Amino acid sequence: MRFLLSTTLLLSALALQPALASEPVGTGDIAVPSPARAKNLAVTLWYPSDGKGEPVKVGDNRIFEGAAAFRNAAIQPGKLPVVIMSHGSGSRGIAMSWIAQELAEAGFLVVAPDHPGTTSGDSTPADTPSIWERTDDISTIISSLSSDAEWSKSVDADRIGVLGFSLGGSTAMELAGARANLDAYVQYCVDYAQSMDCTWFSGGRGFKDGAAISVPKFDLRSVDRARFEQSNHDGRIRSAVLVDPGLEVAFTRDSLNTIDIPLTFINLGSQGKIPVSVLSDQLAKDVPGATYAQVDDADHFSFLPVCKPEADAFLKSVGEIDPICVPTGRDRADIHRQLAELIVNAFKETLKINK
């Protein structure tokens, strides 16, 4: 479940750049007040549009290719099914712009917040297990969009889904009704101390205000048990797609058995090469009616945007330890095509969209 992108480099290069778009996908940014956070959530939206806005590439930077859209184009009239995206730890909502573009082209209103405390340049081990903060972000956004004078005209409150990746997959699981057990997660980091997520807790580093900082080793036993194990179920969510969801080892079977919405689990990697921290085949068996798919010759980082030609060398030159742009033997754009088909079709079916 680490999660994603320990590097702060993305924070310094997220400016949008002009480009031509082949499809009329609109995009815009809003701020959603969060009482729980005592601050605004930064939220990016994508939607089917009239194509009459400023051409941009969302998420384009020194490392990643962006996705084409029209900034501030008019949204297609009528109620739209909604997909809310939850990014991985150390990432941002716009890092999922490639799949947001695909969903918007298919007729969805796509919404992606940055989760404070687990974003690029603002991420610490102590903040990472606070799943209840992330689920509150999503629930707060649903309430805000559903009641907003303008956006409520476009939100079909009966067709809301969640797409989560890595720690975002954990977030989506909890919103669907799964509950985690702290002791199980602590034991996992005893048994798999060298896994990427557990070394994050023991590594003594974090990020604040775009800079690396030293932090004490984080003891998972210090997590607020009541908050970690509470129910974060949001009954307004009707479907979820979980890509390499974290906390896989900690979810209780009893809670999984009671989930009553369609869940689609997707693992990145060939059989036998998927880390136990995200391996989801058993979760799919424990959730009634869930489906499971596996994407061969991929890895956890394949869900990130397509890397630019010199990105891997640049990341290594600045000391990045995660294999963010290391080839897997299969072109990432090809992996994205398979993922897009799986994800878009899952939401089309479960949110009943004929497009």
Side-chain angles (χ1 to χ4, degrees):
M1 138 181 162
R2 164 103 176 128
F3 299 122
L4 278 183
L5 301 184
S6 62
T7 182
T8 63
L9 298 172
L10 302 184
L11 189 69
S12 62
L14 293 174
L16 304 181
Q17 299 179 4
L20 295 176
S22 59
E23 296 291 342
V25 172
T27 188
D29 299 303
I30 61 174
V32 174
S34 168
R37 299 275 196 183
K39 64 192 296 184
N40 289 339
L41 299 171
V43 179
T44 302
L45 302 99
W46 296 258
Y47 47 83
S49 77
D50 63 2
K52 296 179 181 178
E54 174 195 359
V56 296
K57 289 188 75 176
V58 183
D60 192 83
N61 56 58
R62 183 167 184 173
I63 301 168
F64 295 131
E65 299 284 352
F70 290 98
R71 178 164 294 283
N72 298 324
I75 193 169
Q76 185 182 93
K79 298 282 189 179
L80 300 173
V82 179
V83 174
I84 302 180
M85 305 193 302
S86 183
H87 63 74
S89 177
S91 187
R92 288 194 182 276
I94 59 172
M96 301 171 77
S97 58
W98 65 271
I99 186 61
Q101 180 191 48
E102 298 277 357
L103 287 163
E105 288 177 354
F108 295 89
L109 169 59
V110 186
V111 185
D114 290 343
H115 293 291
T118 54
T119 63
S120 176
D122 175 24
S123 182
T124 67
D127 286 322
T128 303
S130 301
I131 301 296
W132 61 89
E133 294 180 340
R134 284 172 147 256
T135 55
D136 185 80
D137 292 343
I138 303 297
S139 294
T140 296
I141 290 168
I142 293 174
S143 296
S144 178
L145 292 178
S146 299
S147 61
D148 181 82
E150 290 300 318
W151 286 107
S152 62
K153 300 173 185 176
S154 302
V155 172
D156 188 336
D158 293 324
R159 294 191 293 169
I160 298 176
V162 178
L163 168 62
F165 169 57
S166 196
L167 187 59
S170 312
T171 305
M173 286 288 294
E174 297 245 345
L175 288 162
R179 299 178 70 167
N181 177 274
L182 182 59
D183 291 335
Y185 195 52
V186 169
Q187 187 59 47
Y188 159 72
C189 274
V190 172
D191 296 338
Y192 297 91
Q194 298 307 308
S195 63
M196 279 195 294
D197 44 346
C198 297
T199 56
W200 170 243
F201 295 126
S202 63
R205 62 176 183 150
F207 300 93
K208 282 293 183 184
D209 300 322
I213 59 172
S214 295
V215 297
K217 178 179 178 180
F218 182 71
D219 186 347
L220 280 171
R221 291 171 295 183
S222 68
V223 173
D224 185 325
R225 179 182 296 273
R227 300 300 299 274
F228 188 82
E229 296 183 347
Q230 72 184 24
S231 173
N232 297 304
H233 180 229
D234 190 324
R236 296 171 295 182
I237 292 168
R238 305 302 173 87
S239 171
V241 175
L242 309 314
V243 182
D244 273 6
L247 292 186
E248 182 275 329
V249 297
F251 292 120
T252 67
R253 181 166 293 183
D254 287 347
S255 69
L256 297 174
N257 291 162
T258 64
I259 293 175
D260 60 359
I261 63 171
L263 298 192
T264 302
F265 292 93
I266 302 173
N267 270 147
L268 298 168
S270 301
Q271 187 173 5
K273 296 185 178 181
I274 301 167
V276 66
S277 58
V278 297
L279 183 61
S280 306
D281 53 349
Q282 186 60 49
L283 290 180
K285 295 174 183 177
D286 291 336
V287 175
T291 61
Y292 178 76
Q294 181 184 316
V295 178
D296 288 329
D297 299 319
D299 66 14
H300 190 64
F301 297 97
S302 297
F303 199 75
L304 294 177
V306 171
C307 295
K308 291 185 175 178
E310 304 301 322
D312 186 44
F314 171 69
L315 289 169
K316 289 176 180 176
S317 74
V318 297
E320 174 56 50
I321 62 174
D322 288 337
I324 294 167
C325 292
V326 175
T328 64
R330 181 180 175 190
D331 187 71
R332 187 171 289 186
D334 183 53
I335 295 170
H336 282 186
R337 283 189 286 272
Q338 182 180 354
L339 282 167
E341 182 176 5
L342 289 168
I343 293 167
V344 172
N345 286 343
F347 281 124
K348 280 185 175 181
E349 180 179 349
T350 58
L351 297 179
K352 310 300 181 186
I353 181 171
N354 297 315
K355 195 165 183 175

